[in-house]
């Protein structure tokens, strides 16, 4: 049975975004809709002076804002199309738009065919009826075809992105906060240890889950064990005993509807990114969920052919399950009515039982939970949260 919810005036299918199995039907093709009124700030942001806007129409759907296609004529007579995204979620909206702009810029610099070029982000001159700011992103328009793309071509291009990318500091992280949908991530820091950064990422997501759903003692005791024991056990070996891993630029939220085949070129492309430099295998954590068509074994198998598994190789599946927790918990926070929180708890239990069975048995009888509700050790994120509260 299909469950529907209303978000931002869009009715959407919970099973499509947070279900427990991949939808049987193809991804709906984005449609050109009604006329979209362009703010003067967007018109001024068009990259070529003297450009004449021919039309602006709603295009596709965004759960957190609006998207549009702009068709324009350049001074030399050539026609050019642009993609526009707008969000009016206050400070969070600014983080989303600026983070996606920086993500697309970084991705496009490494692989111009894989990610659209982002021209500019900014703020509307006009505000909402309630006086809130509206932020926008202007990028190249690419018409969405098959979603997700062909597994052989797509995974080859993705692996190439990961391999060719170079962290500017040689460390894991990013120079700015990026978002998973509308959830700010802990990316605005640099860590030599991938284990340390992933722990910060997951701890931050757990904190947001607590703020959204309230206490669930058994779940949060398991979270503590994952953070304090399982993450070091599975991720520290990647960078010990002579082993190393390269910080790779990742999209950060690759699922069926953030990937597509370009209708003009036939090449795969990715969008709606929340990037940072991570262990490349982190990208595939989102593909474990059966709700995604990317969970098809062809995608993982072909990716591995292009980017060999990190050592210890026999722990690839355990790491993949660990990385999936971050994505699935984000879905649990974002999508009301889904069962992802229970799935995360069950998957955490599997990892704890495998690697720390005695400690896991002990926490089943413990009622006291340490302070996971405390703010993650991330000063800039704390300042951003305080600013949002003031607004």
């Amino acid at each position: 049975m299909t469950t529907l919810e209303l978000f931002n005036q869009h009715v959407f299918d919970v099973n499509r975004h947070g279900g427990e199995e991949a939808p049987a039907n193809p991804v709906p093709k984005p449609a050109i809709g009604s006329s979209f009124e362009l703010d003067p700030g967007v018109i001024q942001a068009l990259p070529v002076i003297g450009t004449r806007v021919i039309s602006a129409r709603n295009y596709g759907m965004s759960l957190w804002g609006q998207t549009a296609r702009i068709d324009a004529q350049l001074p030399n007579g050539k026609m050019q199309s642009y993609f526009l995204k707008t969000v009016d979620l206050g400070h969070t909206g600014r983080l989303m738009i600026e983070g996606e702009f920086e993500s697309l810029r970084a991705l496009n610099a490494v692989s111009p065919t894989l990610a659209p070029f982002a021209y500019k982000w900014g703020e509307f001159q006009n505000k909402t009826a309630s006086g809130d700011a509206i932020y926008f992103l202007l990028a190249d328009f690419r018409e969405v075809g098959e979603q997700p793309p062909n597994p052989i071509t797509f995974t080859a291009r993705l692996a190439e992105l990961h391999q060719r990318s170079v962290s500017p500091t040689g460390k894991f992280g990013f120079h700015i906060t990026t978002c998973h949908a509308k959830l700010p991530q802990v990316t605005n820091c640099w860590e030599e240890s991938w284990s340390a950064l992933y722990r910060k990422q997951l701890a931050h997501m757990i904190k947001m889950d607590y703020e959204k759903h309230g206490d669930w003692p058994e779940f949060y005791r398991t979270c503590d064990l994952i953070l304090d024991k399982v993450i070091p056990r599975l991720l520290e070996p990647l960078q010990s005993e002579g082993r190393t891993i390269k910080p790779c630029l990742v999209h950060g939220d690759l699922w069926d509807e953030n990937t597509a085949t370009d209708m003009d070129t036939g090449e795969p492309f990715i969008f709606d990114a929340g990037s940072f430099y991570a262990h490349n295998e982190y990208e595939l954590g989102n593909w474990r969920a059966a709700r995604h068509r990317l969970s098809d074994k062809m995608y993982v198998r072909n990716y591995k052919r292009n980017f060999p598994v990190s050592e210890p190789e026999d722990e690839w599946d355990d790491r993949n399950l660990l990385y999936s927790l971050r994505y699935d918990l984000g879905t649990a926070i974002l999508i009301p009515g889904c069962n992802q929180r229970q799935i995360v708890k069950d998957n955490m239990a599997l990892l704890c039982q495998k690697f720390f069975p005695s400690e896991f048995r002990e926490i089943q009888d413990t009622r006291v939970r340490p302070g996971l509700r405390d703010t993650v050790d991330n000063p800039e994120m704390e300042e951003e949260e305080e600013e949002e509260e003031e607004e």
Side-chain angles (χ1 to χ4, degrees):
M1 181 177 294
T2 298
T3 302
L4 299 178
E5 296 281 350
L6 183 66
F7 266 61
N8 266 10
Q9 305 306 312
H10 295 298
V11 177
F12 80 103
D13 186 345
V14 172
N15 291 332
R16 174 178 166 188
H17 299 277
E20 296 180 37
E21 58 184 29
N25 297 325
V27 177
K29 184 174 173 56
I32 294 288
S34 58
S35 177
F36 187 99
E37 184 178 355
L38 288 182
D39 182 84
V42 175
I43 296 174
Q44 291 177 10
L46 294 172
V48 180
I49 296 174
T51 296
R52 183 169 67 94
V53 174
I54 304 300
S55 66
R57 307 281 296 275
N58 286 283
Y59 179 77
M61 183 192 79
S62 171
L63 295 181
W64 323 115
Q66 290 184 290
T67 49
R69 170 177 174 161
I70 302 172
D71 291 317
Q73 187 176 47
L74 304 181
N76 62 6
K78 179 182 177 182
M79 297 299 296
Q80 178 72 40
S81 296
Y82 300 98
F83 173 80
L84 176 70
K85 175 185 281 189
T86 69
V87 180
D88 62 357
L89 299 177
H91 183 63
T92 296
R94 181 189 176 107
L95 289 178
M96 292 169 65
I97 291 295
E98 185 177 12
E100 184 175 355
F101 173 84
E102 293 293 341
S103 296
L104 289 178
R105 275 293 182 95
L107 293 166
N108 180 270
V110 178
S111 181
T113 63
L114 190 60
F117 182 78
Y119 292 101
K120 194 167 183 179
W121 76 276
E123 183 179 337
F124 274 21
Q125 290 184 14
N126 299 313
K127 298 184 181 298
T128 66
S130 58
D132 296 327
I134 304 171
Y135 297 96
F136 71 88
L137 168 72
L138 186 69
D140 266 334
F141 179 86
R142 296 191 184 179
E143 187 173 357
V144 170
E146 181 184 12
Q147 293 182 276
N150 175 278
I152 295 176
T153 308
F154 172 58
T155 55
R157 299 291 185 274
L158 182 64
E160 182 181 29
L161 166 74
H162 292 162
Q163 291 166 331
R164 291 180 56 196
S165 61
V166 178
S167 167
T169 65
K171 299 178 182 180
F172 300 95
F174 207 53
H175 64 282
I176 196 172
T177 296
T178 63
C179 296
H180 170 191
K182 64 174 182 177
L183 303 178
Q185 306 179 120
V186 179
T187 56
N188 56 323
C189 57
W190 295 104
E191 295 283 354
E192 291 185 356
S193 165
W194 165 240
S195 177
L197 180 59
Y198 184 70
R199 187 191 189 283
K200 286 184 176 181
Q201 286 254 358
L202 186 57
H204 177 64
M205 197 63 65
I206 292 168
K207 177 178 179 286
M208 287 192 290
D209 175 82
Y210 177 82
E211 293 169 349
K212 174 71 179 285
H213 295 121
D215 207 1
W216 184 7
E218 184 180 352
F219 174 58
Y220 289 119
R221 290 197 297 269
T222 308
C223 289
D224 288 342
L225 189 55
I226 289 287
L227 293 173
D228 297 337
K229 296 287 188 177
V230 176
I231 288 178
R233 165 61 186 82
L234 282 175
L235 301 189
E236 287 183 1
L238 293 167
Q239 295 177 280
S240 63
E241 298 180 7
R243 305 183 190 97
T244 60
I245 54 172
K246 169 184 174 290
C248 299
L249 183 65
V250 297
H251 173 283
D253 187 21
L254 274 184
W255 69 292
D256 307 341
E257 298 187 39
N258 285 350
T259 67
T261 303
D262 188 316
M263 289 289 285
D264 291 329
T265 66
E267 282 289 312
F269 73 103
I270 57 180
F271 49 94
D272 205 11
S275 296
F276 63 104
Y277 291 88
H279 182 207
N280 68 293
E281 293 177 7
Y282 170 82
E283 192 93 276
L284 278 62
N286 207 17
W287 300 6
R288 191 179 188 96
R291 68 182 180 275
H292 295 325
R293 295 167 181 83
L294 286 170
S295 66
D296 189 302
K297 292 181 180 179
M298 289 189 298
Y299 288 94
V300 173
R301 184 183 302 123
N302 280 285
Y303 179 86
K304 289 180 178 179
R305 288 173 179 169
N306 291 283
F307 201 132
V309 171
S310 299
E311 295 287 348
E313 186 174 350
D314 60 350
E315 292 182 352
W316 184 92
D317 191 65
D318 298 315
R319 293 193 299 268
N320 184 251
L321 182 56
L322 179 64
Y323 294 154
S324 76
L325 303 177
R326 162 68 183 71
Y327 293 104
D328 289 345
L329 194 54
T331 301
I333 297 167
L334 290 166
I335 308 299
C338 72
N339 192 40
Q340 292 304 310
R341 201 175 186 224
Q342 181 65 52
I343 290 173
V344 170
K345 179 179 180 294
D346 293 343
N347 286 337
M348 284 184 172
L350 288 174
L351 289 169
C352 291
Q353 288 170 338
K354 178 173 182 177
F355 292 101
F356 297 96
S358 60
E359 289 91 336
F360 185 65
R361 283 194 298 270
E362 289 176 7
I363 67 173
Q364 303 308 299
D365 302 321
T366 302
R367 296 181 180 276
V368 178
R369 175 178 169 262
L372 252 183
R373 302 166 218 183
D374 296 338
T375 302
V376 178
D377 183 15
N378 183 11
E380 185 172 332
M381 186 68 72
E382 291 178 16
E383 292 174 3
E384 290 166 353
E385 290 173 353
E386 288 173 1
E387 291 174 6
E388 186 166 4
E389 289 175 3
E390 290 174 0
E391 293 177 1

